[in-house]
């Protein structure tokens, strides 16, 4: 394993983007990255010994966000394919955290579930020489979950917060015209879910979901999907707990062409077990680099990952 520094500017450090990384993809000359606490995404250029020279892009400058430009979009996945950059929000409900030792106040917060509309987005932006242009979005009344309200497997989980094994998108990969959406939750009796979609531009900067979508159930030993990326004719899945737990975390290879629908354990290959911390160093983003190595970025990085220059260390693995 090697480590490489991702260096962020003062504004991103102040908004804690560098400690909330959730999505990553390689670009022609660097990395596209996103955190889950803002409505922006960033590009970091390779300098020869680190990724830096950050450029920040406001998502609202490229698509119409349902809750406006400032509310966080909770971006949990990115894909880069066929001249497009894709970004997906968690599509999850949120339960308030307990902040008080007062039993009544704590109980009230635990009973409060919040819906934030900017989380329910799937955006596609054209890239011209690695510069994004105005794109299209699946959001609002036609967001992804609106198509799942009658789904016999997923509909019961749409109203549950993501951290409660509710519906929670945490990754996206695009292969040809197929869009694969990895779900951290729900996990159904140990089986994780990946959705396979096809989308069209419906005009007026909107995306339209072609029906029907497809569901794949993968036996990941009770883990959910935390990210996914293409690897030739396979998909690599970053897998981890769906609940608020630290681990285990591993990378798993899945070949979608071999089996559709229900994928038993013996058709999945464990590529690598990943390190994780206790209350820190949660692997959240996975990218396959052009040289075949894998890069992993971490949410809630340990102090040992924070660099004096205001950066954070990502891990690079050879497989």
């Amino acid at each position: 394993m090697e480590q490489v520094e991702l260096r962020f500017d003062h504004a991103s450090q102040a908004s804690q983007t560098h400690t909330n990384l959730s999505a990553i993809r390689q670009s022609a000359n660097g990395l596209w990255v996103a955190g889950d606490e803002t409505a922006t995404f960033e590009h970091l250029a390779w300098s020869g010994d680190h990724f830096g020279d950050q450029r920040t892009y406001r998502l609202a400058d490229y698509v119409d966000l349902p809750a406006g430009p400032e509310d966080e979009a909770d971006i949990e996945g990115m894909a880069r394919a066929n001249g497009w950059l894709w970004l997906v929000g968690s599509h999850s409900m949120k339960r308030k955290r307990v902040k008080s030792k007062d039993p009544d106040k704590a109980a009230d917060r635990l009973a409060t579930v919040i819906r934030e509309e900017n989380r329910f987005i799937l955006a596609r932006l054209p890239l011209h020489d690695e510069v994004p242009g105005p794109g299209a979005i699946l959001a609002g009344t036609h967001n992804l979950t609106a198509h799942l309200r009658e789904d016999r497997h997923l509909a019961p989980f749409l109203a549950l917060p993501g951290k409660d094994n509710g519906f929670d998108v945490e990754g996206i990969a695009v292969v040809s015209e197929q869009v694969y959406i990895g779900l951290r939750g729900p996990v159904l009796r140990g089986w994780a879910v990946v959705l396979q979609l096809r989308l069209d531009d419906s005009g007026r900067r909107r995306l339209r979901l072609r029906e029907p979508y497809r569901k794949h159930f993968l036996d990941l030993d009770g883990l959910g999907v935390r990210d996914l990326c293409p690897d030739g004719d396979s998909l690599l899945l970053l897998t981890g707990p769906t609940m608020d737990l630290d681990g285990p975390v591993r990378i798993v290879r899945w070949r979608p062409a071999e089996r559709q629908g229900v994928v038993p354990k013996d058709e999945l290959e464990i590529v690598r077990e990943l390190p994780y911390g206790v209350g820190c160093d949660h692997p959240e983003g996975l990218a396959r680099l052009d040289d075949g190595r894998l890069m992993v970025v971490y949410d809630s990085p340990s102090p040992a990952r924070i660099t004096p220059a205001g950066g954070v260390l990502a891990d690079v693995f050879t497989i």
Side-chain angles (χ1 to χ4, degrees):
M1 183 189 77
E2 303 175 31
Q3 291 188 312
V4 63
E5 182 184 10
L6 280 56
R7 194 174 294 179
F8 292 83
D9 62 21
H10 293 298
S12 287
Q13 293 173 47
S15 62
Q16 299 184 325
T17 296
H18 66 312
T19 60
N20 290 286
L21 293 178
S22 57
I24 182 172
R25 278 296 182 269
Q26 189 171 23
S27 72
N29 62 345
L31 298 173
W32 291 104
V33 299
D36 58 11
E37 297 291 336
T38 68
T40 67
F41 58 102
E42 280 70 38
H43 185 268
L44 304 176
W46 177 244
S47 70
D49 63 0
H50 69 273
F51 291 96
D53 191 22
Q54 178 187 344
R55 294 189 63 181
T56 294
Y57 299 88
R58 295 195 332 149
L59 191 52
D61 292 339
Y62 302 93
V63 293
D64 296 323
L65 294 178
E70 303 304 327
D71 284 10
E72 73 172 59
D74 197 22
I75 297 170
E76 293 288 356
M78 304 179 81
R80 176 176 170 265
N82 309 317
W84 302 99
L85 182 68
W86 297 76
L87 303 99
V88 64
S90 66
H91 290 73
S92 66
M93 306 293 282
K94 184 170 70 173
R95 190 180 301 279
K96 284 194 172 183
R97 295 182 181 182
V98 173
K99 294 183 177 180
S100 171
K101 294 182 180 180
D102 182 296
D104 292 334
K105 290 183 179 179
D108 288 343
R109 292 186 70 85
L110 286 174
T112 304
V113 175
I114 301 169
R115 179 186 175 96
E116 297 175 345
E117 288 300 324
N118 278 0
R119 290 171 165 246
F120 293 77
I121 63 165
L122 174 56
R124 187 188 69 181
L125 313 181
L127 291 174
H128 304 290
D129 297 324
E130 291 299 332
V131 177
I137 189 170
L138 186 72
T141 57
H142 300 289
N143 77 77
L144 175 59
T145 61
H147 296 268
L148 302 174
R149 288 173 183 155
E150 303 300 325
D151 188 278
R152 61 177 180 154
H153 297 105
L154 300 176
F157 297 91
L158 297 180
L160 294 176
K163 297 296 191 296
D164 296 355
N165 197 38
F167 189 87
D168 190 4
V169 171
E170 288 241 353
I172 181 173
V174 178
V175 180
S176 187
E177 294 186 359
Q178 305 299 317
V179 179
Y180 293 90
I181 300 292
L183 302 186
R184 178 177 177 175
V187 170
L188 305 177
R189 201 176 176 87
W191 294 73
V193 184
V194 175
L195 297 175
Q196 183 179 345
L197 318 174
R198 297 187 72 182
L199 296 113
D200 290 326
D201 193 329
S202 65
R204 300 184 302 279
R205 299 177 64 181
R206 295 284 173 177
L207 291 174
R208 176 176 61 89
L209 178 65
R210 292 191 203 175
E211 300 285 359
Y213 58 87
R214 303 187 70 175
K215 291 175 292 188
H216 304 276
F217 302 96
L218 286 69
D219 185 356
L220 297 176
D221 284 327
L223 300 179
V225 179
R226 306 297 287 269
D227 202 0
L228 65 166
C229 69
D231 181 30
D233 61 354
S234 304
L235 288 177
L236 295 176
L237 284 68
L238 178 63
T239 69
T242 183
M243 309 296 280
D244 193 15
L245 301 171
D246 294 313
V249 184
R250 56 181 64 110
I251 297 172
V252 175
R253 179 179 281 111
W254 169 42
R255 293 178 174 84
E258 291 186 0
R259 187 180 182 96
Q260 306 290 340
V262 177
V263 186
K265 193 181 306 183
D266 60 8
E267 294 187 9
L268 299 166
E269 174 193 355
I270 296 178
V271 175
R272 189 177 184 109
E273 300 280 348
L274 291 183
Y276 58 90
V278 177
C280 65
D281 280 351
H282 298 145
E284 284 282 343
L286 173 69
R288 184 184 182 277
L289 305 180
D290 289 340
D291 61 10
R293 296 182 300 165
L294 300 179
M295 179 178 287
V296 176
V297 294
Y298 295 80
D299 190 7
S300 302
S302 66
R305 289 191 181 274
I306 305 300
T307 68
V312 64
L313 297 177
D315 289 342
V316 180
F317 301 93
T318 299
I319 59 171

